[in-house]
Amino acid sequence: MIRFLDLKAVNQLHQAEIDAAVSRVVHSGWYLLGEENRQFEERYAQYVGTRHCIGVGNGLDALRLIIRGYKELGVFHDGDEVIVPANTYIATIIAITDNGLTPVLVEPTWENLELDISLVEQAITTRTKAVLTVHLYGRIAYTDVLGEICRRHKLKLIEDCAQSHGCRWKGKRTGSLGDAGAHSFYPGKNLGALGDAGCVTTNDTALASVVRALANYGSTEKYVFKYVGMNSRLSEIDAAVLSVKLKYLDADNAHRQELAAYYYAHIQNPNIQLPCRIPDENNVYHQFPVFSKRRDELQKFLHSLGIQTLIHYPIPPHKQECYSQWNHLSLPITEKIHREELSIPMNPCITQDEAKTIVDALNRFGVN
Ligand SMILES: *Cc1c(COP(=O)(O)O)cnc(C)c1O
C-alpha cells in the first residue's frame, strides 16, 4: 500500500530534533507568545525575505487577518472587491467574505492552473481593491505583469502561500512578491506543524503591527484593546517544531522536485495529461496533479493497486452550498479542473521503488 501522505513518516525524518524541541518547550513553562515564536518569526522572515513575520493560528486566519488589517488601516471597506482565482481552496474565499468583501472569481488557465493574468484587467471595477493570488499545488502564480497591473491600478497584491513554502520567482520567495503573504503550517503542507499553525509575512510595517494586535484580541499593550480582535496565536511548541523543520524545507522540496522530474520523464499514457512543466525554482510541488477525462475510474484503478490518491478539489467554491449565490456561474476551465484532477503521491518520503510502482500503474490505466 502506498499512502498518499504518511505524516508520521514525514516527521520521523527529523524525529530526534523535533522531540528535543517539544521537550524544551514543555519544560520551559512558557507556551504562547514567547521566545520560540520570536525566533521562528525572525528565521521565517529571513527565509522568505520580508521585514516582518507574524505567527498566527492557521492559514485561514493569516488570510483573514491581512484583509481585516487593511480594513482597520482604512484601505479596504465593506463591499470592496477582491480578484481571486476561481479554482482555489475554499479558505481563500472564506477569508474575503468573512470580512464583508466580495470575491470576484476569475478563471485560471488550463495550461498553468493559476489565475489567468490576461483576464485580471477586465475584471477590475471601481470597487476593486486587491488581487489575491494563490500559488496552488506549489506552482508560482505571480508574474511581473501581475505586479505591474496591481501597481498601475493601485491594488494590494495578497499572496496565498499555503501550498508554496520555498517557491521562488526570479530568486524571491513567495510571500515577499506582493504586499502581504498568508502561510499555512497545517501538518500536510510542505512546511507542516503538529497541529494548526500559520503566519503572515509582509514588508508593510503598519500592516504588520495591526495584524499582530488583531491576532491577540486587538491588544497593543497588555489589557489595552485598540481593535475588536480575535485569538489566533502560534503555539510555542509549534514555533519550535517549525524552526527545526524550516532547516530541511529546501532539501525536502528538492526531493519533491526530483520525484516530479521522474513523473514527467516516465508517465506516458494517452488517457492521462500532466500539467505543463515550469522551472523547478517556480514549483515546490505541494501536489502533483494529473488530469483524466476518466478521473474517477483512474482513482479506483490506482486504489485497486494499493496506491492512494486525492482530488484537489472535487467541488469548486462557486458550486458549494455555502455560496449558493454563485452556483449559477459558469466557469468552464475551473469546472474542468475540478472534474479531471487527481493528485498522485508527492512528498519527501516516497522512495524510488514506490515512484516506479506509481508510474507503472498510471501507464497501465486503460491500456490492454
Ligand atoms: C491549506 C490552505 C489554506 C488554509 O490553511 P489552514 O491552515 O488549513 O487554515 C488556505 N489556502 C490554501 C490554498 C490552502 O491549501
Side-chain angles (χ1 to χ4, degrees):
M1 174 81 169
I2 302 175
R3 291 180 54 189
F4 182 72
L5 177 62
D6 181 352
L7 284 174
K8 182 171 155 179
V10 166
N11 286 319
Q12 273 174 347
L13 294 174
H14 317 296
Q15 180 87 50
E17 275 186 273
I18 290 174
D19 285 349
V22 170
S23 173
R24 181 175 71 240
V25 177
V26 170
H27 291 284
S28 77
W30 193 277
Y31 307 118
L32 287 168
L33 301 177
E35 189 56 22
E36 300 290 349
N37 261 258
R38 202 193 57 70
Q39 281 183 19
F40 173 70
E41 287 175 349
E42 191 179 306
R43 289 179 179 131
Y44 198 65
Q46 188 177 19
Y47 178 83
V48 170
T50 51
R51 215 169 297 147
H52 307 282
C53 168
I54 302 103
V56 302
N58 55 67
L60 171 59
D61 281 356
L63 286 162
R64 271 194 188 127
L65 284 159
I66 290 169
I67 297 172
R68 178 75 195 282
Y70 279 129
K71 283 185 85 178
E72 295 294 349
L73 290 169
V75 178
F76 296 170
H77 299 92
D78 283 338
D80 282 345
E81 294 171 1
V82 178
I83 291 171
V84 61
N87 63 318
T88 186
Y89 180 57
I90 197 79
T92 323
I93 309 296
I94 292 176
I96 300 169
T97 58
D98 248 15
N99 275 297
L101 276 72
T102 303
V104 175
L105 303 172
V106 170
E107 285 263 70
T109 66
W110 173 246
E111 290 67 37
N112 259 327
L113 313 168
E114 300 125 23
L115 187 63
D116 184 343
I117 287 161
S118 74
L119 300 177
V120 169
E121 251 182 317
Q122 65 201 65
I124 296 173
T125 72
T126 52
R127 298 230 65 168
T128 310
K129 288 293 168 56
V131 174
L132 205 178
T133 192
V134 183
H135 307 293
L136 198 70
Y137 306 129
R139 301 168 67 95
I140 193 83
Y142 177 86
T143 67
D144 296 337
V145 172
L146 180 64
E148 191 272 320
I149 291 171
C150 290
R151 275 191 298 278
R152 187 151 37 86
H153 292 271
K154 300 194 165 49
L155 308 178
K156 293 294 179 193
L157 178 59
I158 303 169
E159 300 175 72
D160 182 335
C161 309
Q163 304 192 1
S164 72
H165 312 87
C167 181
R168 284 169 299 169
W169 175 255
K170 297 185 177 173
K172 289 180 74 180
R173 307 263 184 202
T174 54
S176 72
L177 300 166
D179 294 285
H183 307 249
S184 164
F185 304 121
Y186 175 82
K189 308 291 192 190
N190 288 32
L191 180 58
L194 302 182
D196 280 316
C199 78
V200 171
T201 55
T202 182
N203 285 318
D204 182 337
T205 302
L207 180 71
S209 314
V210 181
V211 165
R212 195 176 287 288
L214 285 170
N216 189 30
Y217 297 107
S219 169
T220 43
E221 55 184 291
K222 199 162 183 161
Y223 303 131
V224 179
F225 303 97
K226 182 163 177 186
Y227 313 102
V228 180
M230 53 204 257
N231 176 359
S232 183
R233 301 183 290 218
L234 173 62
S235 80
E236 286 283 279
I237 286 188
D238 275 317
V241 169
L242 289 165
S243 281
V244 170
K245 292 182 76 177
L246 178 58
K247 294 190 289 179
Y248 303 103
L249 176 60
D250 286 343
D252 285 354
N253 283 343
H255 186 113
R256 290 172 185 268
Q257 287 157 345
E258 278 165 33
L259 179 56
Y262 182 81
Y263 284 157
Y264 273 114
H266 298 284
I267 297 171
Q268 268 170 347
N269 185 327
N271 299 306
I272 297 170
Q273 202 181 333
L274 303 188
C276 88
R277 192 161 180 200
I278 55 175
D280 272 356
E281 171 177 84
N282 307 141
N283 195 345
V284 291
Y285 294 99
H286 175 60
Q287 302 296 355
F288 194 92
V290 303
F291 296 88
S292 177
K293 295 217 180 326
R294 296 156 62 187
R295 188 263 317 272
D296 295 343
E297 218 184 306
L298 173 61
Q299 184 173 41
K300 281 204 198 83
F301 176 75
L302 293 172
H303 284 201
S304 75
L305 296 172
I307 298 165
Q308 248 184 8
T309 60
L310 288 179
I311 297 168
H312 295 101
Y313 300 91
I315 307 170
H318 71 284
K319 295 294 182 193
Q320 297 288 352
E321 193 179 341
C322 63
Y323 289 128
S324 58
Q325 67 271 40
W326 298 311
N327 286 177
H328 70 279
L329 290 179
S330 166
L331 296 159
I333 298 170
T334 298
E335 287 157 32
K336 183 173 158 72
I337 291 172
H338 289 262
R339 214 164 40 237
E340 299 188 9
E341 196 273 349
L342 189 67
S343 299
I344 61 174
M346 167 51 76
N347 63 71
C349 297
I350 300 292
T351 64
Q352 188 55 48
D353 281 352
E354 288 174 327
K356 185 168 186 313
T357 304
I358 293 162
V359 166
D360 289 347
L362 284 163
N363 288 348
R364 274 172 51 202
F365 174 64
V367 181
N368 293 314

